Amino acid sequence: MPQYLSLLLDCPVVIAAIFVSGIGGTFQYGFSISVMISPSAFIKELVNKTCLQRYNVSLEPWQVSLIWSFTVSIFCIGGLLGSLVAGPLISKFGRKQCLLLNNFVAIIGAVLMLLSQTAMSFEMIMVGRFLYGINSGVSLSAHTMYLVECAPKKLRGMVGVTIATFISLGKFCGQLLGISELLGTQERWSWLLGFNGFTALLQLSTLPFLPESPCFLLLDKGDRQACEALRRLWGNKDYSREVEEMLEEKADLQSIRSYSVMELIQNQTVRWQLLTIIVTFTTLQLCGINAVYFYSFDVFRAAGIQEHQLRYAALGTGLCELSTSVACFMTIENTCKKVLLFRGYIGMSATLILLTITLYLQSQVSWMPYCSMGLIFICIFFFASGPAGVTAPLPGEILTQSFKSAGYTIACTLNWASLFVLGMLFPILVEHLDYFCFFIFLFFCAGCGLYVRFNVPETKNRTALEIAIEFQRMHCKSAESQRKNSTEQKVNGIKTYETKF
């Protein structure tokens, strides 16, 4: 680890890129997920006051809850839309330019949030949440591609983990700023919801000083300024080999355009890479981590924590995820990514089984809530130490330049669709199954863990060509079928698999 940390410290511009792209990137996503918990009572009160003032109608509790649920869920709809347009925007404008333009969407949403209380309009919160969703949908793809392509090959695993680290940081900041001593009050909750605008302004004022992704400049734009970008990012080190690899890939992709989502789905040469993206990104939302957070309040209550102190206890869960993600950042280069994914999901599977048992016995054994509390932190640890950090950059590692945009579009679409479905179905599952709903999430965790163990090769320090060959070796029945596939690719003039940064 000291060796890789030393390499990173020798690239101060890459470190700056991590923080600048992260604070206006996946930080926004994590913050938007957790920030609605604290001001929920104030927003529901605003809904009632608005209807009473406009229409002289006092809403029933179920009507207020319905409007509240829609306000929370519309974030996912915006995120889905943002992920669908992210691919074309990133390919056209570039990673850096896309991140810059995306900040204006967050700023407009923040202004609506800030004015909602004064204007007595809960609809402004809905529109703001929708715009936040679009911003997060675009930034999940743009932030990931920008960082992975700016990092030296040896540091891509370490740098890729920071994508999840900033999600965890966003969640924790949403919890922290939401306490009553800071912004979680009747007078200041609109400033809490508008905080995303300040982080967007921070990125908007700093990102222009950083270079564009060298891969985008050279492979998509044919711009020789890629060498200058590499010099600024990596210093005066010898990066001739990296430039040579990019030029080789550019030559291989001369006659190949960027593929659309449908073309990626139909292309048989990358079917196992596509299936890997589908399995891992669907499981990322359906692994039960959100259910663990949900039940943490019940566990804390049963453990004797007072109602007014629950918000502070919840900070412990956010801090656990953040600290584990930082630890994963420090150790990932010494651990295989496949191992991190497999160990994370299998560990979560075992923890969910034990958590279900302890929740069942919670009312019968006095000390059982403390066991449940410990298991909650263990489950968060397994999630943050593997799946959270490894999954986000996966499409960029296993797909070539011509497939990357489409791959990230599919990955982020699955992420948002799964989050939306979970948001709609989770209350129903809890109502009918209570804590036995963990068995459903257990199925996804165990299934993904076993899929990764037997169907996915190691990606650490490998090019997409090497990964593709390993996919073929694992899934083709004989060497003859591999040679046949290779011949068919050459006949079609498609050399899909050579991605070298």
Side-chain angles (χ1 to χ4, degrees), residues 322-478:
L322 177 60
S323 57
T324 305
S325 184
V326 172
C328 183
F329 163 77
M330 302 295 287
T331 60
I332 188 171
E333 293 297 348
N334 295 324
T335 311
C336 296
K337 295 183 180 181
K338 177 177 178 176
V339 172
L340 288 173
L341 270 177
F342 173 70
R343 186 176 63 191
Y345 279 127
I346 296 303
M348 286 186 72
S349 301
T351 307
L352 289 177
I353 294 173
L354 295 174
L355 183 58
T356 305
I357 295 172
T358 58
L359 287 172
Y360 176 74
L361 298 174
Q362 192 165 264
S363 60
Q364 303 173 34
V365 183
S366 60
W367 47 265
M368 199 58 71
Y370 300 100
C371 294
S372 299
M373 192 185 301
L375 289 169
I376 284 173
F377 285 102
I378 291 172
C379 191
I380 294 172
F381 167 79
F382 278 119
F383 174 75
S385 65
V390 176
T391 305
L394 194 60
E397 296 175 346
I398 64 177
L399 292 173
T400 60
Q401 188 76 7
S402 55
F403 283 115
K404 274 185 187 178
S405 292
Y408 275 111
T409 298
I410 291 175
C412 292
T413 301
L414 287 169
N415 180 75
W416 287 107
S418 301
L419 184 60
F420 180 76
V421 169
L422 182 65
M424 297 300 292
L425 295 183
F426 183 65
I428 300 173
L429 292 175
V430 172
E431 183 180 348
H432 289 86
L433 298 177
D434 204 9
Y435 40 76
F436 288 106
C437 68
F438 284 121
F439 285 119
I440 297 176
F441 302 125
L442 169 64
F443 167 79
F444 285 97
C445 286
C448 185
L450 293 174
Y451 173 85
V452 169
R453 171 66 178 81
F454 295 107
N455 295 286
V456 179
E458 177 54 50
T459 63
K460 179 183 173 183
N461 294 332
R462 288 184 175 180
T463 65
L465 173 61
E466 294 167 337
I467 294 170
I469 293 173
E470 191 65 17
F471 266 116
Q472 284 188 347
R473 187 191 67 78
M474 294 177 72
H475 299 291
C476 289
K477 295 187 180 300
S478 64

Side-chain angles (χ1 to χ4, degrees), residues 478-491:
S478 64
E480 182 60 34
S481 61
Q482 292 183 27
R483 286 194 294 270
K484 184 184 290 185
N485 286 341
S486 178
T487 303
E488 288 175 357
Q489 290 175 36
K490 291 178 181 178
V491 168

